[in-house]
Amino acid sequence: MSNKLPEPPCAESPSTTAPVVAHKLDLVSLGLPEYKDAYVLVIDNLFTAEDCKKLLAAAETFGEWERAALNGAPGSGNGVINASYRNSSRILYDDPELLSGS
């Protein structure tokens, strides 16, 4: 395997969509031997550009995001916040209309 990430496949023509392709990364060959036992799957072209625009717009209008906790459901109080390990925030956005593409 190459020591760089593969390029995502492109659409064959402007009127077609790019194929969705999944591949497992060999993290050792990418210079990350400490993750030799990790499983990383990259899925190229899972979302269209239009899908991404809709998801970003929804995320940007969500309001305040919560701190991302470890091992606990959102709002349950069971999660542990450890910014030295996971310093990020998140939203859980349940919207069937957004999911269906309506």
Side-chain angles (χ1 to χ4, degrees):
M1 183 175 259
S2 167
N3 63 355
K4 66 178 189 171
L5 297 175
E7 289 293 322
C10 297
E12 292 183 15
S13 73
S15 63
T16 63
T17 57
V20 176
V21 177
H23 55 272
K24 183 180 183 291
L25 295 185
D26 179 350
L27 297 175
V28 173
S29 72
L30 291 169
L32 299 166
E34 63 272 26
Y35 297 106
K36 68 178 176 59
D37 296 322
Y39 185 85
V40 177
L41 187 67
V42 174
I43 305 173
D44 289 318
N45 302 317
L46 181 61
F47 298 110
T48 65
E50 186 62 30
D51 292 337
C52 292
K53 287 178 188 174
K54 287 179 183 177
L55 292 169
L56 285 170
E60 290 170 349
T61 62
F62 187 77
E64 189 166 335
W65 294 25
E66 66 183 37
R67 295 287 311 257
L70 305 171
N71 300 329
S76 70
N78 295 331
V80 175
I81 305 288
N82 182 346
S84 69
Y85 177 78
R86 184 182 214 178
N87 190 12
S88 61
S89 53
R90 69 174 181 184
I91 59 170
L92 297 177
Y93 192 75
D94 187 10
D95 185 340
E97 286 183 33
L98 181 64
L99 179 65
S100 71
S102 300

PDB file of all heavy atoms in Angstrom, residues 21-63:
ATOM      1  N   VAL A  21     -17.038   4.629  -2.804  1.00  0.00           N
ATOM      2  CA  VAL A  21     -15.997   3.617  -2.685  1.00  0.00           C
ATOM      3  C   VAL A  21     -15.491   3.607  -1.248  1.00  0.00           C
ATOM      4  O   VAL A  21     -15.234   4.657  -0.671  1.00  0.00           O
ATOM      5  CB  VAL A  21     -14.825   3.920  -3.640  1.00  0.00           C
ATOM      6  CG1 VAL A  21     -13.699   2.924  -3.466  1.00  0.00           C
ATOM      7  CG2 VAL A  21     -15.299   3.928  -5.077  1.00  0.00           C
ATOM      8  N   ALA A  22     -15.343   2.422  -0.675  1.00  0.00           N
ATOM      9  CA  ALA A  22     -14.801   2.272   0.671  1.00  0.00           C
ATOM     10  C   ALA A  22     -13.465   1.543   0.593  1.00  0.00           C
ATOM     11  O   ALA A  22     -13.304   0.614  -0.189  1.00  0.00           O
ATOM     12  CB  ALA A  22     -15.770   1.483   1.550  1.00  0.00           C
ATOM     13  N   HIS A  23     -12.516   1.994   1.388  1.00  0.00           N
ATOM     14  CA  HIS A  23     -11.242   1.299   1.472  1.00  0.00           C
ATOM     15  C   HIS A  23     -10.686   1.412   2.889  1.00  0.00           C
ATOM     16  O   HIS A  23     -10.869   2.413   3.568  1.00  0.00           O
ATOM     17  CB  HIS A  23     -10.236   1.808   0.442  1.00  0.00           C
ATOM     18  CG  HIS A  23      -9.994   3.276   0.486  1.00  0.00           C
ATOM     19  ND1 HIS A  23     -10.758   4.173  -0.218  1.00  0.00           N
ATOM     20  CD2 HIS A  23      -9.094   4.005   1.163  1.00  0.00           C
ATOM     21  CE1 HIS A  23     -10.325   5.397   0.023  1.00  0.00           C
ATOM     22  NE2 HIS A  23      -9.327   5.324   0.852  1.00  0.00           N
ATOM     23  N   LYS A  24     -10.028   0.349   3.313  1.00  0.00           N
ATOM     24  CA  LYS A  24      -9.411   0.297   4.631  1.00  0.00           C
ATOM     25  C   LYS A  24      -8.027   0.919   4.539  1.00  0.00           C
ATOM     26  O   LYS A  24      -7.277   0.656   3.603  1.00  0.00           O
ATOM     27  CB  LYS A  24      -9.298  -1.150   5.107  1.00  0.00           C
ATOM     28  CG  LYS A  24      -8.724  -1.289   6.501  1.00  0.00           C
ATOM     29  CD  LYS A  24      -8.634  -2.748   6.914  1.00  0.00           C
ATOM     30  CE  LYS A  24      -8.135  -2.912   8.328  1.00  0.00           C
ATOM     31  NZ  LYS A  24      -6.755  -2.566   8.548  1.00  0.00           N
ATOM     32  N   LEU A  25      -7.692   1.752   5.508  1.00  0.00           N
ATOM     33  CA  LEU A  25      -6.378   2.373   5.530  1.00  0.00           C
ATOM     34  C   LEU A  25      -5.383   1.480   6.255  1.00  0.00           C
ATOM     35  O   LEU A  25      -5.696   0.903   7.298  1.00  0.00           O
ATOM     36  CB  LEU A  25      -6.425   3.723   6.234  1.00  0.00           C
ATOM     37  CG  LEU A  25      -7.242   4.824   5.578  1.00  0.00           C
ATOM     38  CD1 LEU A  25      -7.071   6.120   6.358  1.00  0.00           C
ATOM     39  CD2 LEU A  25      -6.855   5.029   4.136  1.00  0.00           C
ATOM     40  N   ASP A  26      -4.191   1.376   5.699  1.00  0.00           N
ATOM     41  CA  ASP A  26      -3.078   0.703   6.353  1.00  0.00           C
ATOM     42  C   ASP A  26      -2.295   1.785   7.082  1.00  0.00           C
ATOM     43  O   ASP A  26      -1.486   2.488   6.479  1.00  0.00           O
ATOM     44  CB  ASP A  26      -2.221  -0.002   5.317  1.00  0.00           C
ATOM     45  CG  ASP A  26      -1.023  -0.717   5.927  1.00  0.00           C
ATOM     46  OD1 ASP A  26      -0.739  -0.511   7.124  1.00  0.00           O
ATOM     47  OD2 ASP A  26      -0.366  -1.476   5.199  1.00  0.00           O
ATOM     48  N   LEU A  27      -2.559   1.935   8.359  1.00  0.00           N
ATOM     49  CA  LEU A  27      -1.991   3.044   9.117  1.00  0.00           C
ATOM     50  C   LEU A  27      -0.483   2.919   9.305  1.00  0.00           C
ATOM     51  O   LEU A  27       0.208   3.926   9.425  1.00  0.00           O
ATOM     52  CB  LEU A  27      -2.704   3.182  10.448  1.00  0.00           C
ATOM     53  CG  LEU A  27      -4.193   3.526  10.320  1.00  0.00           C
ATOM     54  CD1 LEU A  27      -4.865   3.528  11.679  1.00  0.00           C
ATOM     55  CD2 LEU A  27      -4.398   4.850   9.625  1.00  0.00           C
ATOM     56  N   VAL A  28       0.047   1.716   9.294  1.00  0.00           N
ATOM     57  CA  VAL A  28       1.497   1.539   9.399  1.00  0.00           C
ATOM     58  C   VAL A  28       2.182   2.149   8.186  1.00  0.00           C
ATOM     59  O   VAL A  28       3.150   2.897   8.303  1.00  0.00           O
ATOM     60  CB  VAL A  28       1.867   0.050   9.566  1.00  0.00           C
ATOM     61  CG1 VAL A  28       3.375  -0.147   9.496  1.00  0.00           C
ATOM     62  CG2 VAL A  28       1.311  -0.488  10.883  1.00  0.00           C
ATOM     63  N   SER A  29       1.661   1.863   6.984  1.00  0.00           N
ATOM     64  CA  SER A  29       2.275   2.410   5.771  1.00  0.00           C
ATOM     65  C   SER A  29       2.070   3.920   5.656  1.00  0.00           C
ATOM     66  O   SER A  29       2.784   4.584   4.916  1.00  0.00           O
ATOM     67  CB  SER A  29       1.738   1.714   4.521  1.00  0.00           C
ATOM     68  OG  SER A  29       0.411   2.105   4.258  1.00  0.00           O
ATOM     69  N   LEU A  30       1.118   4.464   6.410  1.00  0.00           N
ATOM     70  CA  LEU A  30       0.901   5.905   6.427  1.00  0.00           C
ATOM     71  C   LEU A  30       1.742   6.598   7.501  1.00  0.00           C
ATOM     72  O   LEU A  30       1.583   7.788   7.748  1.00  0.00           O
ATOM     73  CB  LEU A  30      -0.580   6.218   6.647  1.00  0.00           C
ATOM     74  CG  LEU A  30      -1.505   5.848   5.486  1.00  0.00           C
ATOM     75  CD1 LEU A  30      -2.955   5.948   5.901  1.00  0.00           C
ATOM     76  CD2 LEU A  30      -1.230   6.728   4.283  1.00  0.00           C
ATOM     77  N   GLY A  31       2.627   5.834   8.133  1.00  0.00           N
ATOM     78  CA  GLY A  31       3.522   6.407   9.127  1.00  0.00           C
ATOM     79  C   GLY A  31       2.951   6.463  10.525  1.00  0.00           C
ATOM     80  O   GLY A  31       3.421   7.236  11.360  1.00  0.00           O
ATOM     81  N   LEU A  32       1.956   5.636  10.799  1.00  0.00           N
ATOM     82  CA  LEU A  32       1.328   5.615  12.119  1.00  0.00           C
ATOM     83  C   LEU A  32       1.380   4.213  12.722  1.00  0.00           C
ATOM     84  O   LEU A  32       0.347   3.576  12.967  1.00  0.00           O
ATOM     85  CB  LEU A  32      -0.124   6.093  12.013  1.00  0.00           C
ATOM     86  CG  LEU A  32      -0.307   7.521  11.485  1.00  0.00           C
ATOM     87  CD1 LEU A  32      -1.745   7.765  11.090  1.00  0.00           C
ATOM     88  CD2 LEU A  32       0.164   8.526  12.508  1.00  0.00           C
ATOM     89  N   PRO A  33       2.582   3.685  12.974  1.00  0.00           N
ATOM     90  CA  PRO A  33       2.696   2.301  13.458  1.00  0.00           C
ATOM     91  C   PRO A  33       2.037   2.065  14.810  1.00  0.00           C
ATOM     92  O   PRO A  33       1.641   0.936  15.114  1.00  0.00           O
ATOM     93  CB  PRO A  33       4.213   2.078  13.537  1.00  0.00           C
ATOM     94  CG  PRO A  33       4.798   3.444  13.650  1.00  0.00           C
ATOM     95  CD  PRO A  33       3.880   4.348  12.879  1.00  0.00           C
ATOM     96  N   GLU A  34       1.875   3.117  15.608  1.00  0.00           N
ATOM     97  CA  GLU A  34       1.233   2.947  16.909  1.00  0.00           C
ATOM     98  C   GLU A  34      -0.243   2.557  16.779  1.00  0.00           C
ATOM     99  O   GLU A  34      -0.867   2.115  17.727  1.00  0.00           O
ATOM    100  CB  GLU A  34       1.387   4.215  17.769  1.00  0.00           C
ATOM    101  CG  GLU A  34       0.716   5.443  17.206  1.00  0.00           C
ATOM    102  CD  GLU A  34       1.552   6.281  16.233  1.00  0.00           C
ATOM    103  OE1 GLU A  34       2.468   5.744  15.580  1.00  0.00           O
ATOM    104  OE2 GLU A  34       1.264   7.479  16.121  1.00  0.00           O
ATOM    105  N   TYR A  35      -0.799   2.714  15.574  1.00  0.00           N
ATOM    106  CA  TYR A  35      -2.194   2.353  15.324  1.00  0.00           C
ATOM    107  C   TYR A  35      -2.312   1.100  14.455  1.00  0.00           C
ATOM    108  O   TYR A  35      -3.297   0.917  13.760  1.00  0.00           O
ATOM    109  CB  TYR A  35      -2.932   3.523  14.672  1.00  0.00           C
ATOM    110  CG  TYR A  35      -2.997   4.744  15.552  1.00  0.00           C
ATOM    111  CD1 TYR A  35      -2.207   5.848  15.289  1.00  0.00           C
ATOM    112  CD2 TYR A  35      -3.830   4.767  16.667  1.00  0.00           C
ATOM    113  CE1 TYR A  35      -2.254   6.971  16.111  1.00  0.00           C
ATOM    114  CE2 TYR A  35      -3.881   5.878  17.493  1.00  0.00           C
ATOM    115  CZ  TYR A  35      -3.088   6.975  17.209  1.00  0.00           C
ATOM    116  OH  TYR A  35      -3.130   8.079  18.029  1.00  0.00           O
ATOM    117  N   LYS A  36      -1.319   0.231  14.509  1.00  0.00           N
ATOM    118  CA  LYS A  36      -1.295  -0.953  13.627  1.00  0.00           C
ATOM    119  C   LYS A  36      -2.510  -1.860  13.806  1.00  0.00           C
ATOM    120  O   LYS A  36      -2.913  -2.535  12.877  1.00  0.00           O
ATOM    121  CB  LYS A  36      -0.006  -1.743  13.804  1.00  0.00           C
ATOM    122  CG  LYS A  36       0.145  -2.417  15.148  1.00  0.00           C
ATOM    123  CD  LYS A  36       1.439  -3.208  15.207  1.00  0.00           C
ATOM    124  CE  LYS A  36       1.696  -3.816  16.543  1.00  0.00           C
ATOM    125  NZ  LYS A  36       0.696  -4.721  17.033  1.00  0.00           N
ATOM    126  N   ASP A  37      -3.109  -1.857  14.964  1.00  0.00           N
ATOM    127  CA  ASP A  37      -4.261  -2.718  15.220  1.00  0.00           C
ATOM    128  C   ASP A  37      -5.599  -1.998  15.049  1.00  0.00           C
ATOM    129  O   ASP A  37      -6.650  -2.587  15.262  1.00  0.00           O
ATOM    130  CB  ASP A  37      -4.180  -3.312  16.626  1.00  0.00           C
ATOM    131  CG  ASP A  37      -2.973  -4.229  16.781  1.00  0.00           C
ATOM    132  OD1 ASP A  37      -2.650  -4.956  15.816  1.00  0.00           O
ATOM    133  OD2 ASP A  37      -2.345  -4.209  17.858  1.00  0.00           O
ATOM    134  N   ALA A  38      -5.544  -0.730  14.667  1.00  0.00           N
ATOM    135  CA  ALA A  38      -6.781   0.038  14.490  1.00  0.00           C
ATOM    136  C   ALA A  38      -7.408  -0.276  13.135  1.00  0.00           C
ATOM    137  O   ALA A  38      -6.722  -0.646  12.186  1.00  0.00           O
ATOM    138  CB  ALA A  38      -6.494   1.532  14.597  1.00  0.00           C
ATOM    139  N   TYR A  39      -8.707  -0.142  13.071  1.00  0.00           N
ATOM    140  CA  TYR A  39      -9.443  -0.349  11.825  1.00  0.00           C
ATOM    141  C   TYR A  39     -10.015   0.991  11.398  1.00  0.00           C
ATOM    142  O   TYR A  39     -10.831   1.584  12.102  1.00  0.00           O
ATOM    143  CB  TYR A  39     -10.578  -1.361  12.045  1.00  0.00           C
ATOM    144  CG  TYR A  39     -11.310  -1.712  10.786  1.00  0.00           C
ATOM    145  CD1 TYR A  39     -10.837  -2.701   9.948  1.00  0.00           C
ATOM    146  CD2 TYR A  39     -12.479  -1.049  10.426  1.00  0.00           C
ATOM    147  CE1 TYR A  39     -11.508  -3.030   8.785  1.00  0.00           C
ATOM    148  CE2 TYR A  39     -13.153  -1.367   9.269  1.00  0.00           C
ATOM    149  CZ  TYR A  39     -12.662  -2.368   8.457  1.00  0.00           C
ATOM    150  OH  TYR A  39     -13.325  -2.692   7.303  1.00  0.00           O
ATOM    151  N   VAL A  40      -9.545   1.484  10.254  1.00  0.00           N
ATOM    152  CA  VAL A  40     -10.013   2.769   9.735  1.00  0.00           C
ATOM    153  C   VAL A  40     -10.533   2.554   8.326  1.00  0.00           C
ATOM    154  O   VAL A  40      -9.816   2.055   7.457  1.00  0.00           O
ATOM    155  CB  VAL A  40      -8.880   3.823   9.721  1.00  0.00           C
ATOM    156  CG1 VAL A  40      -9.365   5.122   9.116  1.00  0.00           C
ATOM    157  CG2 VAL A  40      -8.337   4.039  11.123  1.00  0.00           C
ATOM    158  N   LEU A  41     -11.761   2.912   8.114  1.00  0.00           N
ATOM    159  CA  LEU A  41     -12.398   2.766   6.813  1.00  0.00           C
ATOM    160  C   LEU A  41     -12.759   4.151   6.302  1.00  0.00           C
ATOM    161  O   LEU A  41     -13.400   4.925   7.002  1.00  0.00           O
ATOM    162  CB  LEU A  41     -13.666   1.917   6.943  1.00  0.00           C
ATOM    163  CG  LEU A  41     -14.373   1.515   5.673  1.00  0.00           C
ATOM    164  CD1 LEU A  41     -13.522   0.548   4.863  1.00  0.00           C
ATOM    165  CD2 LEU A  41     -15.709   0.885   6.003  1.00  0.00           C
ATOM    166  N   VAL A  42     -12.330   4.465   5.095  1.00  0.00           N
ATOM    167  CA  VAL A  42     -12.671   5.732   4.458  1.00  0.00           C
ATOM    168  C   VAL A  42     -13.724   5.442   3.395  1.00  0.00           C
ATOM    169  O   VAL A  42     -13.550   4.532   2.575  1.00  0.00           O
ATOM    170  CB  VAL A  42     -11.428   6.389   3.819  1.00  0.00           C
ATOM    171  CG1 VAL A  42     -11.819   7.628   3.032  1.00  0.00           C
ATOM    172  CG2 VAL A  42     -10.408   6.732   4.884  1.00  0.00           C
ATOM    173  N   ILE A  43     -14.795   6.200   3.421  1.00  0.00           N
ATOM    174  CA  ILE A  43     -15.850   6.043   2.426  1.00  0.00           C
ATOM    175  C   ILE A  43     -15.891   7.318   1.598  1.00  0.00           C
ATOM    176  O   ILE A  43     -16.321   8.365   2.069  1.00  0.00           O
ATOM    177  CB  ILE A  43     -17.219   5.774   3.077  1.00  0.00           C
ATOM    178  CG1 ILE A  43     -17.131   4.557   4.009  1.00  0.00           C
ATOM    179  CG2 ILE A  43     -18.281   5.561   1.999  1.00  0.00           C
ATOM    180  CD1 ILE A  43     -18.377   4.324   4.828  1.00  0.00           C
ATOM    181  N   ASP A  44     -15.392   7.221   0.372  1.00  0.00           N
ATOM    182  CA  ASP A  44     -15.370   8.367  -0.530  1.00  0.00           C
ATOM    183  C   ASP A  44     -16.715   8.535  -1.214  1.00  0.00           C
ATOM    184  O   ASP A  44     -17.362   7.552  -1.579  1.00  0.00           O
ATOM    185  CB  ASP A  44     -14.299   8.173  -1.610  1.00  0.00           C
ATOM    186  CG  ASP A  44     -12.897   8.291  -1.058  1.00  0.00           C
ATOM    187  OD1 ASP A  44     -12.658   9.191  -0.238  1.00  0.00           O
ATOM    188  OD2 ASP A  44     -12.040   7.475  -1.444  1.00  0.00           O
ATOM    189  N   ASN A  45     -17.130   9.784  -1.369  1.00  0.00           N
ATOM    190  CA  ASN A  45     -18.329  10.160  -2.118  1.00  0.00           C
ATOM    191  C   ASN A  45     -19.621   9.650  -1.496  1.00  0.00           C
ATOM    192  O   ASN A  45     -20.617   9.464  -2.197  1.00  0.00           O
ATOM    193  CB  ASN A  45     -18.228   9.696  -3.579  1.00  0.00           C
ATOM    194  CG  ASN A  45     -17.014  10.269  -4.259  1.00  0.00           C
ATOM    195  OD1 ASN A  45     -16.696  11.442  -4.095  1.00  0.00           O
ATOM    196  ND2 ASN A  45     -16.310   9.448  -5.022  1.00  0.00           N
ATOM    197  N   LEU A  46     -19.615   9.446  -0.188  1.00  0.00           N
ATOM    198  CA  LEU A  46     -20.835   8.998   0.481  1.00  0.00           C
ATOM    199  C   LEU A  46     -21.919  10.069   0.393  1.00  0.00           C
ATOM    200  O   LEU A  46     -23.083   9.768   0.190  1.00  0.00           O
ATOM    201  CB  LEU A  46     -20.543   8.645   1.944  1.00  0.00           C
ATOM    202  CG  LEU A  46     -21.717   8.141   2.754  1.00  0.00           C
ATOM    203  CD1 LEU A  46     -22.277   6.849   2.155  1.00  0.00           C
ATOM    204  CD2 LEU A  46     -21.319   7.937   4.191  1.00  0.00           C
ATOM    205  N   PHE A  47     -21.506  11.325   0.534  1.00  0.00           N
ATOM    206  CA  PHE A  47     -22.434  12.448   0.431  1.00  0.00           C
ATOM    207  C   PHE A  47     -22.114  13.273  -0.805  1.00  0.00           C
ATOM    208  O   PHE A  47     -20.951  13.471  -1.138  1.00  0.00           O
ATOM    209  CB  PHE A  47     -22.334  13.354   1.668  1.00  0.00           C
ATOM    210  CG  PHE A  47     -22.686  12.666   2.953  1.00  0.00           C
ATOM    211  CD1 PHE A  47     -21.704  12.388   3.882  1.00  0.00           C
ATOM    212  CD2 PHE A  47     -23.992  12.314   3.231  1.00  0.00           C
ATOM    213  CE1 PHE A  47     -22.025  11.752   5.076  1.00  0.00           C
ATOM    214  CE2 PHE A  47     -24.323  11.683   4.408  1.00  0.00           C
ATOM    215  CZ  PHE A  47     -23.337  11.399   5.342  1.00  0.00           C
ATOM    216  N   THR A  48     -23.135  13.770  -1.452  1.00  0.00           N
ATOM    217  CA  THR A  48     -22.935  14.673  -2.582  1.00  0.00           C
ATOM    218  C   THR A  48     -22.602  16.064  -2.046  1.00  0.00           C
ATOM    219  O   THR A  48     -22.774  16.342  -0.852  1.00  0.00           O
ATOM    220  CB  THR A  48     -24.199  14.769  -3.458  1.00  0.00           C
ATOM    221  OG1 THR A  48     -25.242  15.392  -2.667  1.00  0.00           O
ATOM    222  CG2 THR A  48     -24.659  13.409  -3.947  1.00  0.00           C
ATOM    223  N   ALA A  49     -22.163  16.939  -2.918  1.00  0.00           N
ATOM    224  CA  ALA A  49     -21.895  18.322  -2.507  1.00  0.00           C
ATOM    225  C   ALA A  49     -23.169  18.966  -1.968  1.00  0.00           C
ATOM    226  O   ALA A  49     -23.136  19.708  -0.977  1.00  0.00           O
ATOM    227  CB  ALA A  49     -21.334  19.119  -3.676  1.00  0.00           C
ATOM    228  N   GLU A  50     -24.294  18.665  -2.581  1.00  0.00           N
ATOM    229  CA  GLU A  50     -25.578  19.211  -2.118  1.00  0.00           C
ATOM    230  C   GLU A  50     -25.933  18.657  -0.736  1.00  0.00           C
ATOM    231  O   GLU A  50     -26.418  19.389   0.129  1.00  0.00           O
ATOM    232  CB  GLU A  50     -26.690  18.888  -3.123  1.00  0.00           C
ATOM    233  CG  GLU A  50     -28.010  19.531  -2.807  1.00  0.00           C
ATOM    234  CD  GLU A  50     -27.974  21.059  -2.805  1.00  0.00           C
ATOM    235  OE1 GLU A  50     -27.181  21.649  -3.550  1.00  0.00           O
ATOM    236  OE2 GLU A  50     -28.737  21.657  -2.020  1.00  0.00           O
ATOM    237  N   ASP A  51     -25.693  17.352  -0.503  1.00  0.00           N
ATOM    238  CA  ASP A  51     -25.912  16.765   0.823  1.00  0.00           C
ATOM    239  C   ASP A  51     -25.088  17.506   1.872  1.00  0.00           C
ATOM    240  O   ASP A  51     -25.586  17.846   2.946  1.00  0.00           O
ATOM    241  CB  ASP A  51     -25.489  15.290   0.857  1.00  0.00           C
ATOM    242  CG  ASP A  51     -26.355  14.370   0.032  1.00  0.00           C
ATOM    243  OD1 ASP A  51     -27.524  14.715  -0.231  1.00  0.00           O
ATOM    244  OD2 ASP A  51     -25.853  13.293  -0.349  1.00  0.00           O
ATOM    245  N   CYS A  52     -23.821  17.746   1.562  1.00  0.00           N
ATOM    246  CA  CYS A  52     -22.930  18.432   2.506  1.00  0.00           C
ATOM    247  C   CYS A  52     -23.422  19.832   2.821  1.00  0.00           C
ATOM    248  O   CYS A  52     -23.405  20.253   3.981  1.00  0.00           O
ATOM    249  CB  CYS A  52     -21.499  18.464   1.958  1.00  0.00           C
ATOM    250  SG  CYS A  52     -20.733  16.828   1.889  1.00  0.00           S
ATOM    251  N   LYS A  53     -23.886  20.556   1.812  1.00  0.00           N
ATOM    252  CA  LYS A  53     -24.405  21.898   2.036  1.00  0.00           C
ATOM    253  C   LYS A  53     -25.601  21.869   2.979  1.00  0.00           C
ATOM    254  O   LYS A  53     -25.720  22.696   3.890  1.00  0.00           O
ATOM    255  CB  LYS A  53     -24.810  22.545   0.709  1.00  0.00           C
ATOM    256  CG  LYS A  53     -23.638  22.961  -0.142  1.00  0.00           C
ATOM    257  CD  LYS A  53     -24.118  23.532  -1.454  1.00  0.00           C
ATOM    258  CE  LYS A  53     -22.957  23.776  -2.404  1.00  0.00           C
ATOM    259  NZ  LYS A  53     -23.415  24.194  -3.736  1.00  0.00           N
ATOM    260  N   LYS A  54     -26.505  20.909   2.784  1.00  0.00           N
ATOM    261  CA  LYS A  54     -27.690  20.799   3.640  1.00  0.00           C
ATOM    262  C   LYS A  54     -27.307  20.444   5.074  1.00  0.00           C
ATOM    263  O   LYS A  54     -27.846  21.006   6.026  1.00  0.00           O
ATOM    264  CB  LYS A  54     -28.645  19.734   3.096  1.00  0.00           C
ATOM    265  CG  LYS A  54     -29.372  20.155   1.845  1.00  0.00           C
ATOM    266  CD  LYS A  54     -30.272  19.035   1.356  1.00  0.00           C
ATOM    267  CE  LYS A  54     -30.956  19.400   0.055  1.00  0.00           C
ATOM    268  NZ  LYS A  54     -31.778  18.285  -0.453  1.00  0.00           N
ATOM    269  N   LEU A  55     -26.368  19.510   5.240  1.00  0.00           N
ATOM    270  CA  LEU A  55     -25.951  19.110   6.580  1.00  0.00           C
ATOM    271  C   LEU A  55     -25.237  20.245   7.303  1.00  0.00           C
ATOM    272  O   LEU A  55     -25.475  20.483   8.493  1.00  0.00           O
ATOM    273  CB  LEU A  55     -25.047  17.873   6.502  1.00  0.00           C
ATOM    274  CG  LEU A  55     -25.750  16.592   6.053  1.00  0.00           C
ATOM    275  CD1 LEU A  55     -24.732  15.504   5.747  1.00  0.00           C
ATOM    276  CD2 LEU A  55     -26.749  16.126   7.095  1.00  0.00           C
ATOM    277  N   LEU A  56     -24.376  20.961   6.600  1.00  0.00           N
ATOM    278  CA  LEU A  56     -23.687  22.103   7.208  1.00  0.00           C
ATOM    279  C   LEU A  56     -24.667  23.198   7.597  1.00  0.00           C
ATOM    280  O   LEU A  56     -24.567  23.780   8.686  1.00  0.00           O
ATOM    281  CB  LEU A  56     -22.621  22.655   6.268  1.00  0.00           C
ATOM    282  CG  LEU A  56     -21.356  21.810   6.149  1.00  0.00           C
ATOM    283  CD1 LEU A  56     -20.480  22.324   5.011  1.00  0.00           C
ATOM    284  CD2 LEU A  56     -20.595  21.790   7.455  1.00  0.00           C
ATOM    285  N   ALA A  57     -25.630  23.492   6.730  1.00  0.00           N
ATOM    286  CA  ALA A  57     -26.629  24.516   7.037  1.00  0.00           C
ATOM    287  C   ALA A  57     -27.433  24.120   8.277  1.00  0.00           C
ATOM    288  O   ALA A  57     -27.696  24.951   9.150  1.00  0.00           O
ATOM    289  CB  ALA A  57     -27.551  24.741   5.843  1.00  0.00           C
ATOM    290  N   ALA A  58     -27.809  22.860   8.379  1.00  0.00           N
ATOM    291  CA  ALA A  58     -28.557  22.386   9.549  1.00  0.00           C
ATOM    292  C   ALA A  58     -27.709  22.514  10.809  1.00  0.00           C
ATOM    293  O   ALA A  58     -28.188  22.977  11.849  1.00  0.00           O
ATOM    294  CB  ALA A  58     -29.001  20.942   9.343  1.00  0.00           C
ATOM    295  N   ALA A  59     -26.443  22.120  10.717  1.00  0.00           N
ATOM    296  CA  ALA A  59     -25.560  22.193  11.885  1.00  0.00           C
ATOM    297  C   ALA A  59     -25.344  23.628  12.331  1.00  0.00           C
ATOM    298  O   ALA A  59     -25.282  23.914  13.530  1.00  0.00           O
ATOM    299  CB  ALA A  59     -24.227  21.525  11.561  1.00  0.00           C
ATOM    300  N   GLU A  60     -25.223  24.539  11.379  1.00  0.00           N
ATOM    301  CA  GLU A  60     -24.969  25.942  11.710  1.00  0.00           C
ATOM    302  C   GLU A  60     -26.180  26.629  12.342  1.00  0.00           C
ATOM    303  O   GLU A  60     -26.030  27.624  13.034  1.00  0.00           O
ATOM    304  CB  GLU A  60     -24.522  26.695  10.463  1.00  0.00           C
ATOM    305  CG  GLU A  60     -23.129  26.281  10.021  1.00  0.00           C
ATOM    306  CD  GLU A  60     -22.732  26.821   8.662  1.00  0.00           C
ATOM    307  OE1 GLU A  60     -23.605  27.355   7.927  1.00  0.00           O
ATOM    308  OE2 GLU A  60     -21.545  26.694   8.321  1.00  0.00           O
ATOM    309  N   THR A  61     -27.381  26.121  12.122  1.00  0.00           N
ATOM    310  CA  THR A  61     -28.574  26.720  12.704  1.00  0.00           C
ATOM    311  C   THR A  61     -29.019  26.013  13.979  1.00  0.00           C
ATOM    312  O   THR A  61     -30.019  26.395  14.584  1.00  0.00           O
ATOM    313  CB  THR A  61     -29.756  26.690  11.703  1.00  0.00           C
ATOM    314  OG1 THR A  61     -30.067  25.325  11.390  1.00  0.00           O
ATOM    315  CG2 THR A  61     -29.426  27.450  10.449  1.00  0.00           C
ATOM    316  N   PHE A  62     -28.298  25.012  14.410  1.00  0.00           N
ATOM    317  CA  PHE A  62     -28.710  24.194  15.547  1.00  0.00           C
ATOM    318  C   PHE A  62     -28.678  24.951  16.863  1.00  0.00           C
ATOM    319  O   PHE A  62     -29.434  24.675  17.764  1.00  0.00           O
ATOM    320  CB  PHE A  62     -27.825  22.945  15.660  1.00  0.00           C
ATOM    321  CG  PHE A  62     -28.290  21.971  16.687  1.00  0.00           C
ATOM    322  CD1 PHE A  62     -29.365  21.143  16.447  1.00  0.00           C
ATOM    323  CD2 PHE A  62     -27.673  21.902  17.928  1.00  0.00           C
ATOM    324  CE1 PHE A  62     -29.811  20.245  17.400  1.00  0.00           C
ATOM    325  CE2 PHE A  62     -28.108  21.011  18.887  1.00  0.00           C
ATOM    326  CZ  PHE A  62     -29.176  20.182  18.623  1.00  0.00           C
ATOM    327  N   GLY A  63     -27.820  25.911  16.997  1.00  0.00           N
ATOM    328  CA  GLY A  63     -27.675  26.602  18.276  1.00  0.00           C
ATOM    329  C   GLY A  63     -26.390  26.158  18.935  1.00  0.00           C
ATOM    330  O   GLY A  63     -25.426  25.797  18.281  1.00  0.00           O
TER     331      GLY A  63
END
